[in-house]
């Protein structure tokens, strides 16, 4: 073993236990927010051996890569300094095509990208931007994966049995989300059913019995009532949280008010492009313009991301004057027909 390899191993041994060292995409999920998009369900493993799931969009990978490039890529490709590092290539942007097919096609490339990224020298793994990308946020921990196709274990097929067990002392769990098995080895579960636990298959999957059938199922879809003998923790199920965006469509014939539920947090600042796209879908009108009311009650046209930022800033300044539900955005959106140049300054 070379001196450099010995040094690299020594540096790695000194890393904190919570530093991510591997990451694998378990599945993709379609999300409906300001725009419809797919996100990647990623299983992250740390140096200390813990595992957790995070949920990231491709554009978050893109932002991460741009930031790392600006910090560590040498100005000249054939020269490397003490604080530079050759980064793995990130799959490029795709602007046309089926969104699901695009997301599926990126999985092998993104898995390779994460493997190479987390395989860089130990000092690189301590970068704050990198660690924050793989950090499990509160929002990540509250989500429940809908499927784990690439982490599914191999096990026996479902078999029909008539269990003889003490219903009050047997390990069991309550189903909190419907689950449709993918193949003969997986159970079909319905919310509210009680499933009796037989064994743990791996960190994410259990084997159990329900409706006289035995098979495997993901632990994230159930709430443990009585754990297996070798398990000291009970899973807690959390539902999705939604935020409410109040929108007004102003037309000469009247006002159409909508409360649109999105999964973004209240602190999210959407892009102008995303908001325009989403409002076209909500009101089924393409020829529209976005607006907000300033502190004087006048309608102000929104044309770019800077206007969105100003709209949110001014709306938050008026929060103390207007009482809104806890889960409602502090800013409201006024949609008008782009071809209509009349001014809507009537109080609603």
């Amino acid at each position: 073993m070379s001196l450099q390899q010995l040094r690299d191993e020594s540096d790695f041994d000194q890393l904190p236990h919570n530093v991510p060292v591997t990451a694998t995409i378990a599945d993709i999920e379609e999300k409906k927010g300001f725009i419809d998009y797919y996100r990647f369900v990623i299983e992250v493993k740390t140096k200390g051996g813990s595992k957790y799931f995070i949920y990231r969009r491709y554009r978050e990978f893109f932002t991460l890569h741009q930031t790392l490039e600006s910090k560590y890529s040498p100005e000249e490709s054939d020269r490397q300094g003490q604080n530079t590092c050759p980064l793995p290539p990130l799959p490029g942007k795709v602007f046309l095509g089926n969104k699901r097919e695009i997301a599926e096609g990126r999985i092998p490339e993104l898995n390779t990208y994460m493997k190479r990224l987390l395989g860089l020298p130990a000092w690189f793994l301590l970068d704050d931007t990198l660690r924050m990308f793989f950090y499990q946020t509160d929002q990540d921990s509250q989500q429940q994966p809908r499927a784990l196709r690439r982490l599914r274990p191999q096990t026996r097929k479902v078999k029909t049995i008539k269990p003889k067990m003490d219903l009050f002392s047997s390990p069991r769990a309550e189903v909190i989300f419907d689950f449709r098995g993918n193949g003969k080895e997986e159970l079909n579960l319905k919310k509210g059913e009680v499933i009796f636990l037989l064994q743990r298959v791996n960190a994410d999957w259990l084997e159990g019995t329900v409706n006289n059938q035995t098979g495997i199922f993901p632990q994230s879809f159930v709430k443990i009532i009585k754990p297996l003998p070798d398990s000291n923790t009970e899973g807690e199920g959390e539902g999705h949280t939604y935020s409410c965006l109040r929108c007004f469509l102003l037309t000469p014939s009247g006002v159409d008010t909508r409360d649109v539920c999105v999964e973004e947090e209240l602190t999210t600042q959407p892009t102008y492009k995303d908001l325009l796209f989403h409002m076209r879908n909500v009101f089924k009108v393409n020829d529209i313009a976005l607006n907000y009311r300033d502190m004087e009650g006048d309608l102000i046209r929104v044309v770019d991301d800077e206007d969105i930022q100003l709209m949110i800033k001014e709306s938050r300044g008026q929060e103390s004057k207007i009482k809104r539900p806890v889960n409602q955005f502090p800013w409201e959106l006024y949609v008008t027909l782009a071809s209509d140049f009349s001014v809507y300054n009537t109080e609603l």
Side-chain angles (χ1 to χ4, degrees):
M1 182 179 294
S2 67
L3 289 176
Q4 183 62 45
Q5 287 175 318
L6 286 173
R7 180 181 177 184
D8 289 345
E9 283 194 9
S10 176
D11 290 343
F12 182 82
D13 290 340
Q14 296 178 45
L15 288 174
H17 287 298
N18 63 351
V19 170
V21 292
T22 64
T24 305
I25 295 176
D27 211 334
I28 58 172
E29 292 185 351
E30 184 178 16
K31 304 299 290 181
K32 296 183 181 296
F34 293 111
I35 62 171
D36 296 348
Y37 62 90
Y38 280 89
R39 65 180 185 178
F40 300 94
V41 184
I42 304 169
E43 183 188 58
V44 179
K45 297 182 181 179
T46 66
K47 177 176 175 287
S50 62
K51 295 189 295 184
Y52 53 81
F53 289 103
I54 61 174
Y55 302 79
R56 300 292 182 264
R57 298 174 63 175
Y58 169 78
R59 72 179 186 183
E60 293 175 276
F61 277 97
F62 188 81
T63 301
L64 168 70
H65 190 75
Q66 283 189 315
T67 303
L68 294 178
E69 273 193 328
S70 66
K71 295 168 70 172
Y72 300 113
S73 289
E75 294 182 2
E76 299 181 19
S77 58
D78 58 342
R79 292 187 179 182
Q80 292 186 24
Q82 184 176 0
N83 296 320
T84 62
C85 188
L87 299 176
L90 178 73
K93 289 186 174 181
V94 180
F95 297 97
L96 297 176
N98 181 280
K99 291 183 180 181
R100 184 180 186 87
E101 292 176 358
I102 293 173
E104 289 280 3
R106 281 177 170 154
I107 291 177
E109 294 175 291
L110 287 179
N111 275 335
T112 300
Y113 174 76
M114 291 188 293
K115 180 179 179 180
R116 292 179 178 176
L117 197 64
L118 295 176
L120 291 174
W123 63 266
F124 183 84
L125 300 184
L126 294 174
D127 177 83
D128 290 340
T129 304
L130 183 70
R131 294 184 69 179
M132 286 304 298
F133 179 85
F134 288 105
Y135 176 74
Q136 187 186 46
T137 65
D138 290 340
Q139 189 175 15
D140 287 329
S141 64
Q142 292 172 0
Q143 304 301 311
Q144 296 292 335
R146 296 172 186 168
L148 302 170
R149 289 179 297 162
R150 288 163 182 81
L151 301 180
R152 294 178 186 272
Q154 294 182 350
T155 187
R156 62 191 182 186
K157 295 180 179 180
V158 173
K159 62 180 183 180
T160 301
I161 65 170
K162 293 184 178 181
K164 296 180 180 180
M165 54 185 67
D166 182 349
L167 300 182
F168 297 100
S169 63
S170 299
R172 59 195 184 280
E174 179 185 356
V175 180
I176 56 176
F177 300 104
D178 289 347
F179 175 73
R180 186 175 182 81
N182 182 21
K184 295 182 178 180
E185 72 276 9
E186 297 176 12
L187 291 173
N188 293 322
L189 305 178
K190 291 185 178 180
K191 182 178 178 181
E193 290 181 332
V194 174
I195 183 167
F196 295 95
L197 308 179
L198 299 178
Q199 66 174 338
R200 176 171 293 281
V201 180
N202 60 23
D204 305 304
W205 288 73
L206 298 168
E207 184 176 35
T209 298
V210 66
N211 297 328
N212 292 333
Q213 287 193 318
T214 294
I216 65 171
F217 59 93
Q219 181 175 328
S220 57
F221 282 73
V222 303
K223 178 180 179 180
I224 304 297
I225 300 174
K226 181 180 176 66
L228 288 162
D230 60 346
S231 175
N232 296 320
T233 58
E234 296 192 4
E236 295 294 334
E238 297 288 344
H240 292 294
T241 56
Y242 292 88
S243 301
C244 184
L245 172 61
R246 178 153 293 179
C247 311
F248 303 93
L249 176 63
L250 310 182
T251 65
S253 59
V255 180
D256 183 4
T257 304
R258 300 282 183 91
D259 284 332
V260 181
C261 288
V262 294
E263 290 190 356
E264 281 78 1
E265 295 179 341
L266 296 180
T267 56
T268 300
Q269 178 180 315
T271 65
Y272 169 75
K273 182 179 179 180
D274 284 355
L275 264 186
L276 184 62
F277 180 88
H278 193 57
M279 289 303 102
R280 284 172 173 166
N281 284 339
V282 169
F283 293 108
K284 306 303 180 186
V285 181
N286 289 325
D287 186 29
I288 59 173
L290 308 183
N291 312 266
Y292 71 95
R293 289 195 182 277
D294 63 10
M295 299 185 69
E296 286 72 36
D298 294 327
L299 213 60
I300 307 299
R301 180 63 55 90
V302 175
V303 296
D304 55 29
D305 290 345
E306 290 185 3
D307 288 341
I308 296 289
Q309 185 176 3
L310 181 60
M311 173 186 72
I312 296 174
K313 181 179 179 181
E314 289 198 8
S315 299
R316 285 176 178 159
Q318 303 179 56
E319 279 188 274
S320 59
K321 301 179 182 178
I322 304 175
K323 292 184 179 181
R324 292 189 174 95
V326 176
N327 67 331
Q328 183 173 314
F329 283 88
W331 44 277
E332 296 177 338
L333 199 61
Y334 293 81
V335 181
T336 59
L337 300 179
S339 57
D340 190 346
F341 294 98
S342 60
V343 180
Y344 299 88
N345 286 328
T346 304
E347 291 293 335
L348 297 177

